[in-house]
Amino acid sequence: MNRKALSIPSILLSTLLLAGGLPAQAGVELHSRIDVDATAGETSIVIMPFSPLSKVIEADLQRSGRFALMDPARTGGNFSPEALRATGVEYAVVGSHSGGLDLQILNVRTGQVAGAFRIPPHPNERRMAHKAADLIFEKITGVRGAFDTRIAYVAVSGPPRQQTYQLIVADADGFNPRTIVSSRQPVMAPAWSPDAKQLAYVSYETGRPVVYVQDLASGSKRAISDPNRSSTSPAWSPDGSRIAYSVSDRGNYNIVVASSFGGGERQLTNTRGINTEPQWADNSTIVFTSDRSGQPQLYRINANGGGESRLSFNGGYNAGASIAGNNVAVVRQNGGQTQIALMNAASKEERILSRGTQDDSPAIAPNGMMVLYATDAGGRKGLAVASDNSKAHQSLYATAGEVRDPAWSPYLD
Amino acid sequence: MKTTAFAILILAGAALASGCAPQTTTTAGDMGNPYGTGMPPTGMPPASGGNPYGYGNNPSANYGSGNYTPADLNNPNSILAQRVIYFDFDSSNIRPEYINVLNAHAALLATHPHLRVRLEGHADERGSREYNVALSERRGYAVFDYLQLKNVRANQMEVIGYGEEVPAVFGSNEAAWGKNRRVEIKYAGE
């Protein structure tokens, strides 16, 4: 293992991948670039080149920031246990690909098999690789992997005032994009249903922001909020039965909860000013943004009302929370810069994850270990994924136009 | 209805005469109140043409005289051609230089109650995207409240917050941000 190279705290590895999908049906193609900072101290692993999918597994593990990926070429083509051991690598993944994937994780130092899996065939072969990466990740870190998930985002193209807005769903690594909404009016704030089969979002298609729910398979959609009032920021309860969103009354926004089938709207907050961006911490607790103290901060409230209290105190501007367990990603504004901070609700530790100066819309992976967000890093408006330890950064961008406003799906079945 | 509007006007006049800014109906938050603190008559920039109280010292431009017709909307030389007003960062205060523009639109709308406008609020790209929807709507209501004080009927106006979703210009710099923090006055049928 080339420890020296790995310990250099600079861009160690950059890969350029072209995310495909069928050009005709495709959403906006995303290009991907993964920059791994120092991963010294992280688990070293080599994925043997048994299939083109080996590279997909490698990229998944890389962007988690938890692995130092060794180039298989460093074995000189000799994959014997002795040759592997001589490289110093800790784990090796060997396998075969015929229909499905058969994989073994070898603990190189002990020579033991640390895990063996079979991934059944799937029409989207890349998903087989993501499932494999999930299992490898879980076997070695003890945390469920979240690579076999999906993302939604908004792609915007065209000159000012003549823009086209597309709501796109794709694999979590940006591949297989599919446009589910295309509009000349703004589309924003996508939110996944807990079964990942429906997407709630806000569309201005009637001239004002209204919350809709769209079924991904059939494309059918229904309005959830009152079409005569401006509403924004939908969020599904973890049990799927309710959707929280924010409703305007003459510019004052308050949090409401309604049935995910529409109807039964019930107002939770009742303050003047702005209460918006609800997120469910669990089935009975909602976290939201409020400017009741002057600047936006995070608050919590019981999903049945009452029990309001302030959560964020560090920094003058905390908004747009995205929650997975104790991990809370937020938009933090500081000195003219807007960045993504990751807070741990239990330990109160905080870390700035983003690399741009105008970053927003954090969407945390369901295992809480990666955060997808919108960024201006590199002078182009795209998406980025940061590992929770900030060691790995992946940028996802379109060659033309802007991609933004991402949402990360729950675990898939 | 008429009495109510008259009463509001009296109150507004009293507040302005005493140098007190009437409070917005939205909470201040970081956006302050839409009329700005300390905007007494003496604070008005005389150079901006006309005065903000509708006396109309520039008859050729028809400032504040109330003699506007819908046809003036199509006249590029009319003050009514100005349909966009801009805001300071984190503010929904109406800047003094736009009082004349708003007074002209108010005069047209108040005398032509069949006219309808959408007040479309916008924010710059900074800050949380969904939060900005609410902030931009607050700007729209700052204009709504001002026009209502000038006798425009509430049912003539509709406010929509677009947040940062529809920039007027692209760019991540103060010049672009300043052009994007705005309320656009859109007449129905346009």
Side-chain angles (χ1 to χ4, degrees), chain A residues 34-179:
Chain A
I34 303 174
D35 297 332
V36 182
D37 291 354
T39 43
E42 301 299 339
T43 304
S44 59
I45 191 167
V46 59
I47 314 295
M48 293 309 180
F50 61 90
S51 155
L53 295 181
S54 300
K55 289 289 178 196
V56 180
I57 298 172
E58 205 170 70
D60 279 351
L61 296 180
Q62 238 164 31
R63 64 204 188 100
S64 76
R66 287 297 188 286
F67 293 91
L69 271 295
M70 191 187 84
D71 183 349
R74 283 185 33 76
T75 63
N78 180 350
F79 299 147
S80 68
E82 295 72 26
L84 283 171
R85 204 169 293 129
T87 66
V89 73
E90 292 167 77
Y91 290 94
V93 175
V94 298
S96 63
H97 177 190
S98 73
L101 291 180
D102 284 290
L103 296 172
Q104 283 191 326
I105 305 172
L106 304 177
N107 183 324
V108 175
R109 289 170 186 172
T110 66
Q112 303 296 306
V113 173
F117 313 102
R118 172 161 178 77
I119 312 290
H122 191 282
N124 176 358
E125 288 203 329
R126 297 182 61 89
R127 277 198 66 183
M128 294 167 17
H130 296 317
K131 288 172 190 288
D134 281 348
L135 293 170
I136 295 164
F137 186 86
E138 181 165 1
K139 177 54 77 177
I140 294 176
T141 68
V143 177
R144 183 174 178 181
F147 305 112
D148 182 34
T149 50
R150 304 182 83 192
I151 59 175
Y153 54 92
V154 176
V156 186
S157 57
R161 299 175 182 280
Q162 296 171 45
Q163 293 188 285
T164 298
Y165 301 80
Q166 288 177 282
L167 180 57
I168 293 170
V169 295
D171 296 348
D173 60 354
F175 278 73
N176 297 315
R178 183 164 70 93
T179 300

Side-chain angles (χ1 to χ4, degrees), chain B residues 121-134:
Chain B
H122 298 270
D124 70 31
E125 65 177 358
R126 292 174 287 179
S128 178
R129 184 170 286 281
E130 294 168 46
Y131 184 78
N132 278 345
V133 170

Side-chain angles (χ1 to χ4, degrees), chain A residues 193-212:
Chain A
S193 67
D195 64 3
K197 290 176 176 167
Q198 299 178 90
L199 212 54
Y201 59 89
V202 171
S203 168
Y204 283 72
E205 65 197 56
T206 64
R208 72 164 61 247
V210 174
V211 174
Y212 297 88

Side-chain angles (χ1 to χ4, degrees), chain B residues 2-3 11 14 19 25-26 31 33 38 43 51 55 63 73 94 103-104 113 116 130 133 142 158 161 181 185:
Chain B
K2 198 166 181 131
T3 344
L11 283 173
T25 52
T26 55
M31 301 288 279
N33 85 62
N51 75 58
Y55 302 124
Y63 284 149
L73 290 169
I94 292 171
N103 285 347
R116 297 285 183 275
E130 294 168 46
V133 170
E158 181 179 36
R181 293 187 301 264
I185 301 167

Side-chain angles (χ1 to χ4, degrees), chain B residues 11-23 35-41:
Chain B
L11 283 173
L16 288 167
S18 66
C20 298
Q23 290 299 308
Y35 306 106
T37 49
M39 207 176 71

Side-chain angles (χ1 to χ4, degrees), chain B residues 73 80 83 105 108-109 115-117 185-190:
Chain B
L73 290 169
L80 292 174
R83 313 276 174 84
H105 287 285
L108 174 69
L109 288 163
L115 290 177
R116 297 285 183 275
V117 286
I185 301 167
K186 293 206 171 159
Y187 283 80
E190 288 192 320

